[in-house]
Amino acid sequence: MSGASTRLARRGLRPAQVGQTEDMSLAQRVAVRRRAVRLRRTRRVALIALAAGAVLTAEISLISQLVSRGEAAAVVREAAPQSAATPEPIIPVPKIVQVPAADPTCESTETGAALTAKDPAAVFEAFGGAAALREAILAGAAPCVPLDDPALPWVVVNKKRPLEPIDFRPAEIRVPPSSIVQGGLRAEVVDSFERLAAAVAEEAGRIALFSGFRSHGTQVSTYNAQVGARGRQGADALSARPGFSEHQLGLAADVVACGPAGCGTIYQLGDTAQGRWLADNAWRFGWIVRYEHGHTETTGYDPEPWHLRYIGPELAEVYHKGGHHTLEDFFGLPPAPDYD
């Protein structure tokens, strides 16, 4: 084979073609050479495309596996080449934790102003009513509304929820005309108590306020007297420890039934027409029977049909119509059968 034939063979010509070039003219040999060059280029392009396709297929498979496992949404490649021994790092997409937005009602100017002013009616209006306020509290959507502020009528005081401050005293205490002792009530609830007493008198018989507000010091004496008469366990079932009493709020009223011969004791009220009327109708005036029969395991107290508690007519209506029997249940609070 001549030197020209050898060069043509190296450029990709078949043996038959190499033999044919011996008799070719110079122009023919140039044309053959050009075809060989084009052939080599075509082969290179094909090989490059095949390699690129293989790499793309592998990457798509890898990404599909990662996405199906929820571990990544992208693959980040290093700009510099890496050795075969060091795998290309895969950076997972960080998990996004959604933080719930603050309750818009609590953030409103109207709600803030109502709470600052201690105005229950304005708070109800901001939340869309007493029922809506209670639902928001139960759902944890009203963190701005306290259940431990003694200035608000819905404050909950029990054996696990002492007053804050422990020696709280209302700004003004007044003695209702229907009181047979010098015990009074918070000034803003006296009118509702008098309307309650008037309604009872028309439909069931007369009642009187026997015990209302007790200061922290008075509650110390009352509780100690019960301990002396019944022992600590017996006292805890009937009388609150100092700082844990609803009477210290000025929102609690122990009432007695009265007749032509005078007034009875608090222990006699439950069996009277007045006691039964109060159990069914006190809510109409903003009052509830706080310690009902059958709920000692929740309240921590023996039944006290004589112990009325003011929570306001709006909430009292929701309380009554919802069939509730304790404030703990009404506001979704844990039972308080004993002191901590």
Side-chain angles (χ1 to χ4, degrees):
M1 184 180 294
S2 66
S5 299
T6 302
R7 286 194 298 274
L8 289 172
R10 290 174 180 171
R11 293 187 178 105
L13 295 177
R14 295 188 296 273
Q17 293 174 314
V18 173
Q20 294 171 3
T21 60
E22 298 295 338
D23 300 324
M24 288 181 182
S25 65
L26 177 60
Q28 290 174 326
R29 285 198 295 271
V30 170
V32 170
R33 189 179 299 117
R34 289 176 177 171
R35 286 196 298 272
V37 171
R38 286 197 299 270
L39 179 60
R40 287 199 305 276
R41 288 177 179 171
T42 301
R43 287 177 177 173
R44 286 197 198 99
V45 172
L47 289 173
I48 292 172
L50 182 62
V55 172
L56 180 60
T57 300
E59 290 183 351
I60 291 174
S61 176
L62 176 60
I63 292 173
S64 298
Q65 294 176 18
L66 292 173
V67 171
S68 66
R69 293 200 305 265
E71 297 177 355
V75 177
V76 180
R77 303 184 186 84
E78 294 290 342
Q82 299 182 0
S83 64
T86 304
E88 187 176 2
I90 299 172
I91 303 177
V93 175
K95 295 181 179 180
I96 300 176
V97 179
Q98 293 185 348
V99 179
D103 181 74
T105 307
C106 275
E107 291 186 344
S108 72
T109 303
E110 292 78 5
T111 303
L115 289 170
T116 299
K118 312 294 185 183
D119 186 344
V123 174
F124 295 146
E125 183 177 358
F127 278 86
L133 172 64
R134 173 181 174 265
E135 290 299 325
I137 292 173
L138 290 175
C144 58
V145 180
L147 295 178
D148 57 359
D149 186 343
L152 296 170
W154 55 73
V155 59
V156 181
V157 177
N158 58 33
K159 292 182 177 181
K160 296 190 182 299
R161 299 175 61 89
L163 279 84
E164 294 290 345
I166 200 75
D167 58 350
F168 169 80
R169 183 185 181 92
E172 182 183 359
I173 296 295
R174 286 172 49 196
V175 179
S178 59
S179 176
I180 60 173
V181 293
Q182 291 303 306
L185 296 170
R186 196 180 295 194
E188 60 266 31
V189 305
V190 168
D191 180 65
S192 66
F193 183 81
E194 285 303 300
R195 287 188 288 108
L196 168 68
V200 179
E202 288 183 4
E203 300 180 29
R206 190 165 65 91
I207 64 169
L209 175 66
F210 178 77
S211 179
F213 169 73
R214 300 176 195 157
S215 68
H216 183 268
T218 299
Q219 193 62 28
V220 170
S221 301
T222 301
Y223 179 75
N224 287 342
Q226 291 289 350
V227 171
R230 302 169 181 268
R232 181 170 293 274
Q233 184 174 358
D236 284 344
L238 190 63
S239 180
R241 294 179 183 179
F244 293 81
S245 174
E246 287 193 329
H247 282 283
Q248 199 174 321
L249 293 169
L251 299 175
D254 290 347
V255 300
V256 293
C258 303
C263 298
T265 67
I266 56 175
Y267 305 105
Q268 295 170 325
L269 178 77
D271 293 328
T272 65
Q274 294 95 316
R276 291 187 290 272
W277 188 96
L278 289 170
D280 293 334
N281 298 283
W283 63 271
R284 292 161 42 195
F285 302 89
W287 299 81
I288 62 171
V289 176
R290 178 66 170 100
Y291 307 121
E292 294 186 34
H293 179 77
H295 299 279
T296 299
E297 292 184 357
T298 298
T299 65
Y301 294 102
D302 290 342
E304 295 185 8
W306 61 84
H307 183 107
L308 305 181
R309 163 65 197 275
Y310 183 83
I311 61 174
E314 300 88 353
L315 280 174
E317 180 178 7
V318 178
Y319 186 96
H320 171 75
K321 291 184 176 180
H324 299 284
H325 301 281
T326 70
L327 284 180
E328 289 77 12
D329 168 64
F330 186 63
F331 285 120
L333 297 173
D338 298 300
Y339 296 97
D340 290 332

